[in-house]
């Protein structure tokens, strides 16, 4: 079914055109790659998987409760609007929120694919081009999976959120080759990763859990790539150049914090924009969620060497400064382990089923023979 038939709101023109600037760069040195980057490229090739096969699409999903979200976690919970809603309304609200969230993941994945392709084009070194080519493929697979989940299971799609679109535009329009890394790999992906993780760890629904766990397994490589490439490059920049990057990060973080309200959904339920904004600002659950969303960005920014006074102060003001101390390597290792454990559990369960079927068949065979 055309996605245009599933949009909750009109997404406008079928194409969004961002004019490209900057150079396409070739490299004639084919044998001087950095070992760590080439190892990551090898891993990127080895760990490709196919979402059509690895994910169990036969699992049913209730479109009116796709994630098993508890009532208290809904923005409207405890307001007069909630009290007026019927069970049916609440189901629709859940569907819209899940659709909004996964639609942002979907558009973000398309953005990640385009940024990864841009990096292939513009980054000077061949080892980084090679790696980014595998990431382009990873992001294509992710977009494919989220699109299928939205089409088949949630059956409703939201247009890209204004703030996400604006950050994506800034990221792509910039001619400095490191900015797609910073905007996409560090900010947008860091944020998405935290959001994926919170849903992966709280949902009791098996299909979205599989999707998120497997996608996160790939994202661990993407973040590692951004960190490696930027850490090397930022060591050579002047203070003034570093401060420019920090400004970009501060602005991006503000945009991303405001992105996460889902105000569009509440507006679709007849709540005026100003009130919708106020309700989302007040929701205790959303406040916590918004802070946790920075759990992957802050340590990453610190790690690549963007840790000037203004940036530190911005994080203090946002209440996320302490997150700079969390251990990114540990988080990434856990993401990989969770996906592998999920595979092991699923295959063990299938194996038990298969054994039970064989035993059943043997028993039947015996009774026929007897
Ligand atoms: Fe992705
Ligand atoms: Fe990614």
């Amino acid at each position: 079914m055309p996605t245009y038939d599933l949009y909750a709101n009109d997404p406008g023109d079928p194409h969004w055109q961002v004019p490209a600037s900057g150079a396409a760069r070739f490299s004639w040195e084919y044998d001087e790659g950095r070992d760590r980057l080439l190892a990551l490229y090898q891993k990127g090739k080895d760990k490709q998987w196919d979402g059509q096969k690895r994910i169990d699409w036969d699992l049913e999903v209730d479109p009116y409760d796709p994630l098993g979200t508890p009532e208290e976690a809904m923005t409207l919970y405890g307001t007069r609007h909630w009290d007026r809603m019927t069970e049916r309304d609440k189901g629709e609200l859940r569907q819209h929120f899940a659709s909004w969230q996964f639609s942002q993941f979907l558009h973000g994945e398309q953005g990640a694919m385009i940024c990864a392709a841009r990096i292939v084009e513009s980054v000077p070194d061949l080892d980084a081009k090679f790696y980014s080519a595998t990431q382009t493929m990873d992001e294509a697979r992710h977009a494919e999976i989220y699109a299928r989940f939205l089409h088949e299971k949630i059956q409703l799609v939201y247009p890209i959120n204004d703030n996400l679109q604006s950050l994506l535009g800034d990221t792509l329009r910039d001619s400095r080759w490191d900015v797609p890394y910073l905007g996409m790999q560090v900010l947008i992906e860091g944020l998405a990763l935290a959001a994926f993780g919170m849903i992966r760890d709280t949902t009791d629904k098996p299909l979205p859990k599989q999707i998120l766990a497997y996608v996160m397994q790939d994202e661990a490589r993407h973040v590692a790539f951004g960190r490696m490439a930027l850490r090397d490059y930022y060591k050579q920049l002047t203070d003034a150049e570093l401060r420019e990057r920090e400004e970009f990060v501060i602005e991006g973080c503000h945009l991303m914090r405001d992105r996460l309200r889902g105000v569009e959904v509440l507006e679709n339920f007849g709540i005026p924009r100003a009130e919708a904004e106020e309700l989302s600002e007040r929701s205790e659950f959303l406040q916590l969620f918004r802070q946790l969303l920075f759990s992957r960005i802050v340590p990453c920014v610190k790690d690549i060497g963007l840790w000037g006074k203004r940036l530190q102060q911005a994080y203090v003001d946002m209440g996320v400064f302490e997150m700079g101390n969390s251990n990114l390597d540990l988080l990434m290792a856990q993401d990989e382990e969770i996906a592998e454990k999920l595979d092991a559990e699923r295959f063990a369960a299938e194996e038990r089923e298969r054994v039970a079927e064989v035993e059943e068949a043997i028993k039947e065979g015996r009774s026929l023979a007897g």
Side-chain angles (χ1 to χ4, degrees), residues 216-244:
M216 286 186 81
Q217 191 179 21
D218 293 341
E219 300 296 349
R221 291 195 297 277
H222 305 170
V223 177
F225 173 54
R227 283 168 73 198
M228 257 180 229
L230 292 181
R231 218 172 3 198
D232 288 353
Y233 181 58
Y234 286 171
K235 274 187 206 133
Q236 315 157 21
L237 292 189
T238 64
D239 270 353
E241 286 167 327
L242 288 176
R243 296 300 85 82
E244 275 169 33

Side-chain angles (χ1 to χ4, degrees), residues 1 11 78 94 166 168 174-176 186 218 227 234 254 305 337:
M1 184 189 285
R94 280 200 172 82
S166 140
L168 252 178
D174 205 293
S175 62
R176 294 169 292 186
V186 177
D218 293 341
R227 283 168 73 198
Y234 286 171
H254 285 151
E337 256 168 48

Side-chain angles (χ1 to χ4, degrees), residues 109 112 139 142 189 215 219 222:
E109 295 289 0
E139 308 297 9
H142 298 169
E189 296 221 76
V215 166
E219 300 296 349
H222 305 170

